[in-house]
Amino acid sequence: MDRIDLHILRELQNDGRLSNQELAQRVGLSPSPCLRRVRQLEQDGVIQGYRAIIDPAAVGRGFEVLVSVEVRRDRETVEAFEEALQDVPDVIEAYRLFGSPGCLLRIAVADLAAYERLWIERLTTLAGVTEVNSQIIMKRIKEPKGMPVEVRGA
């Protein structure tokens, strides 16, 4: 990737709805080469997709919790746990970690009662779970803005 590709990535992270014409202008290319570069970045898997950022409260999921989960550490159990997480829509992010805790989840639900139901009915019943610890998010201090992309010389 060269400086122009990095500039394209930075611009698209800031506004994924830019027209090719506007993007080309911002990165100093004509539209055809700009579009070719974007398509190549998509084909190479550098650009993995485009999506809308939604206000959680607007869709009834304004109560967010970070949950650390300990799972028995044998391959079969870990794989079963990770597969089962795919069927829990309230889990909006999940990470397997080195050390302890073994897994960190970000959960978005309507309220405390909804989280309690999820905790009792789903989280504690997942394969191999030995411990579940919850941290309720008080305030989001920094919103995810995408991956930092440094454009040298720009």
Side-chain angles (χ1 to χ4, degrees):
M1 268 191 296
D2 63 11
R3 184 180 72 69
I4 294 173
D5 288 336
L6 294 172
H7 198 170
I8 288 170
L9 293 174
R10 188 177 65 189
E11 292 296 333
L12 286 175
Q13 277 194 128
N14 288 334
D15 184 356
R17 293 183 60 155
L18 282 175
S19 69
N20 184 59
Q21 183 79 25
E22 178 66 22
L23 178 61
Q25 184 177 358
R26 289 185 186 189
V27 301
L29 291 175
S30 60
S32 288
C34 182
L35 185 59
R36 274 195 303 274
R37 282 177 177 259
V38 170
R39 295 290 184 246
Q40 189 64 53
L41 290 165
E42 292 169 346
Q43 185 178 356
D44 292 345
V46 177
I47 297 174
Q48 296 180 346
Y50 301 88
R51 60 181 59 120
I53 299 169
I54 298 169
D55 174 12
V59 293
R61 292 184 176 270
F63 190 83
E64 292 187 49
V65 185
L66 296 177
V67 179
S68 58
V69 179
E70 287 294 350
V71 177
R72 282 193 320 273
R73 297 190 188 227
D74 62 86
R75 182 178 179 169
E76 215 172 271
T77 302
V78 170
E79 287 174 353
F81 170 78
E82 290 178 358
E83 187 176 325
L85 277 183
Q86 304 305 314
D87 296 328
V88 184
D90 302 312
V91 177
I92 57 176
E93 292 181 75
Y95 302 93
R96 184 191 315 166
L97 307 175
F98 286 106
S100 187
C103 190
L104 182 64
L105 311 177
R106 184 170 150 233
I107 292 174
V109 292
D111 54 27
L112 181 59
Y115 177 65
E116 182 181 12
R117 279 190 309 280
L118 176 70
W119 191 91
I120 290 169
E121 296 171 8
R122 297 294 300 269
L123 296 179
T124 59
T125 65
L126 291 172
V129 169
T130 60
E131 189 175 335
V132 177
N133 292 300
S134 309
Q135 302 292 317
I136 297 171
I137 296 175
M138 179 187 302
K139 174 184 176 184
R140 193 179 294 211
I141 298 169
K142 184 176 179 182
E143 294 286 330
K145 299 287 185 197
M147 210 43 68
V149 178
E150 299 295 324
V151 180
R152 295 167 286 285

